[in-house]
Amino acid sequence: DFDTILETNAERILAEIDRLDEIARGFSRYGMGPSELQTAAPLDVSVIVRDVVELEKLGEGSIDWRTTGIASAVMAYARDDELREVMLNLLENARFAGATWVEVRVDGGPERVAIAVRDDGGGIPASVQARLFEPHFSTRTRGSGLGLAISRRLVESWGGEIAVASVEGEGTTVRIVLRAGPA
């Protein structure tokens, strides 16, 4: 059936174009020098976390998405689109790790704001944890292996830090610490 074959192949081609576009964007973003990155500005982290979690709820699977600490404004220094990208990467990583629940917790303080993404997915073997932020390293066969490398570069360009703690078979926690912004 020509129409069915055409539709199937067109869908595959479009999906591959999207994947290659994402890889190209990742290479470009990772290759940016410090002078090319915009200055971090104060923004409401809770709004971004709420938006990204709502977007993830539309995805496939029956993950229990949990949020804590986002009922009111939590100001920190970052860049809106880039923080969204980092959060999407972390939540998608949890989804691909087979998580049945994912908790995103935001804790605001006078000097620092912490965002923790914790899941009950498959976890990461201790033997590869030191390589997680290396470009092109991945524990999956899917993707470019640039997600965490780009996330680290972005977070650090805002003056923040990112770290991963994981136990194979139990889950993973990714913690981002940012400079607190004005209330």
Side-chain angles (χ1 to χ4, degrees):
D1 183 18
F2 179 77
D3 290 339
T4 304
I5 293 171
L6 178 63
E7 183 176 331
T8 301
N9 287 335
E11 287 174 10
R12 286 181 182 165
I13 290 169
L14 291 173
E16 187 64 14
I17 289 170
D18 287 344
R19 186 183 73 78
L20 292 172
D21 182 54
E22 182 65 32
I23 290 170
R25 287 176 194 261
F27 278 122
S28 175
R29 191 168 290 110
Y30 189 77
M32 287 179 148
S35 63
E36 297 175 274
L37 298 171
Q38 297 175 2
T39 305
L43 55 82
D44 186 353
V45 171
S46 60
V47 168
I48 292 171
V49 169
R50 267 195 304 273
D51 288 351
V52 173
V53 169
E54 286 303 314
L55 179 63
E56 283 297 319
K57 286 180 179 179
L58 300 174
E60 58 189 54
S62 57
I63 297 172
D64 178 17
W65 297 97
R66 307 170 186 171
T67 56
T68 305
I70 62 169
S72 58
V74 180
M75 302 300 289
Y77 282 91
R79 288 182 291 278
D80 188 287
D81 289 346
E82 293 173 354
L83 181 56
R84 289 176 192 278
E85 179 180 348
V86 169
M87 294 305 301
L88 277 168
N89 180 57
L90 299 181
L91 298 183
E92 282 294 301
N93 284 350
R95 179 188 301 278
F96 293 137
T100 61
W101 59 263
V102 178
E103 177 187 33
V104 183
R105 180 181 186 94
V106 177
D107 292 306
E111 294 183 22
R112 299 280 182 205
V113 170
I115 306 167
V117 177
R118 187 169 65 105
D119 69 64
D120 71 337
I124 303 165
S127 61
V128 299
Q129 288 184 26
R131 299 189 61 206
L132 291 176
F133 293 106
E134 291 179 12
H136 309 296
F137 178 79
S138 180
T139 59
R140 301 186 322 255
T141 56
R142 183 178 172 186
S144 66
L146 288 173
L148 285 176
I150 291 170
S151 294
R152 177 186 230 173
R153 184 170 185 128
L154 293 174
V155 170
E156 289 177 350
S157 77
W158 311 327
E161 302 168 357
I162 184 170
V164 177
S166 187
V167 177
E168 190 171 12
E170 294 182 24
T172 301
T173 300
V174 180
R175 183 172 164 86
I176 299 171
V177 179
L178 303 172
R179 294 176 295 137

